[in-house]
Amino acid sequence: MFPSFFIAHGAPLLAIEDNEYTQFVQQLGRTLPRPKAVVLFSAHWEALVQRVSQVDEYETIYDFGGFPEALYRIQYPAKGNDQLSEEIKELLTDHGISYEVETSRGLDHGAWVVLRMLYPDADIPVISMSVNPHLSPEEQYKVGHSLSALREKDILIIGSGGTVHNLGMVNMAGENQIDQWALDFDKWLEEHLNNWDVESLFQYHSLAPSAKLAVPLYGSEHFIPLFYAMGAAHNQQKATLLHRSYRYGNLSHSVWQFGE
């Protein structure tokens, strides 16, 4: 059975950087058994109804501006998998979750930056999934839980985002000092994830220190993929922090594994 993962995609520059974090994720891709496919929930695909991609081959979306030209030359032509898309639709239906099928959308950078670090040859089928910040954390967790059976079929489920992601607070020159408020939030998160304390986690915005800085009230889309990934491992309630580092003072690069 595959674990599920929450993997930070950081700033788009990660796609062309060589640093502690990119090296870790690349090594993770080499260490994990090869999955039959990847199901990825991206912070950069928001929808009010759960969207399920059913695409033959994905285009690469450059959903950012003002970065080096090298970023815009990157291609990640992953293929879809119709059979897996159909299976996901059945699982969502069985769990009473409404969905819509997306047949043309490419992979945004929340998806391809992570996938390219893990599997640079783009040779593993991908099903891209949306996230919905307007759902409660319980409902986001339920969506992930509905897909948990896929882990038994060598399918890798990933939530891509960032536990601390507040672009209004980043310091592009702040590489050597980490803001205490970001550390406080992530340490609270670590404690409650390690205990699988969903009751507290679902109320993170009122209980966690500095939650309003780490997860801005109208900017939760980067945090919530954590609940989708966590829900996918509901039948194996074990959380393991594999990596945590920071850029720009407080932008978190964390990798959480759920299940075994």
Side-chain angles (χ1 to χ4, degrees), residues 62-74:
Y62 308 102
D63 50 337
F64 46 77
F67 288 93
E69 181 61 31
L71 273 177
Y72 303 94
R73 292 198 295 266
I74 292 175

Side-chain angles (χ1 to χ4, degrees), residues 103 127 183 207 227:
T103 60
I127 306 299
L183 292 171
L207 296 180
F227 292 129

Side-chain angles (χ1 to χ4, degrees), residues 21-199:
Y21 183 60
T22 62
Q23 291 170 14
F24 176 83
V25 180
Q26 289 163 3
Q27 182 59 34
L28 179 65
R30 292 190 288 266
T31 303
L32 287 173
R34 184 178 174 85
K36 292 181 179 176
V38 177
V39 176
L40 187 143
F41 291 89
S42 173
H44 288 277
W45 189 9
E46 297 180 51
L48 294 178
V49 177
Q50 181 62 55
R51 307 297 289 274
V52 181
S53 67
Q54 195 156 4
V55 175
D56 291 333
E57 182 174 312
Y58 292 94
E59 296 181 357
T60 305
I61 301 175
Y62 308 102
D63 50 337
F64 46 77
F67 288 93
E69 181 61 31
L71 273 177
Y72 303 94
R73 292 198 295 266
I74 292 175
Q75 296 284 321
Y76 194 82
K79 298 188 184 312
N81 183 304
D82 280 350
Q83 181 178 344
L84 181 53
S85 292
E86 292 296 335
E87 188 167 357
I88 289 171
K89 286 148 62 175
E90 291 178 10
L91 288 169
L92 293 173
T93 298
D94 290 345
H95 287 81
I97 298 169
S98 299
Y99 66 86
E100 295 176 356
V101 177
E102 173 56 60
T103 60
S104 62
R105 188 181 189 275
L107 294 176
D108 57 66
H109 83 271
W112 63 259
V113 168
V114 168
L115 291 168
R116 187 168 174 268
M117 287 191 286
L118 290 169
Y119 306 113
D121 296 329
D123 56 352
I124 294 177
V126 174
I127 306 299
S128 185
M129 305 282 287
S130 64
V131 299
N132 184 355
H134 299 281
L135 294 178
S136 67
E138 294 94 328
E139 292 170 311
Q140 293 154 357
Y141 185 98
K142 178 184 175 183
V143 175
H145 183 202
S146 73
L147 304 184
S148 60
L150 297 177
R151 294 172 48 232
E152 301 175 14
K153 300 182 178 183
D154 297 334
I155 307 298
L156 177 58
I157 299 175
I158 297 173
S160 170
T163 57
V164 180
H165 187 277
N166 185 339
L167 297 184
M169 297 297 293
V170 298
N171 176 8
M172 297 303 287
E175 289 294 325
N176 298 319
Q177 185 171 349
I178 305 167
D179 292 334
Q180 188 61 47
W181 60 265
L183 292 171
D184 292 343
F185 178 82
D186 266 342
K187 291 302 289 184
W188 181 93
L189 185 63
E190 179 180 357
E191 175 187 350
H192 293 280
L193 284 172
N194 284 338
N195 294 323
W196 210 270
D197 179 9
V198 292
E199 183 175 344

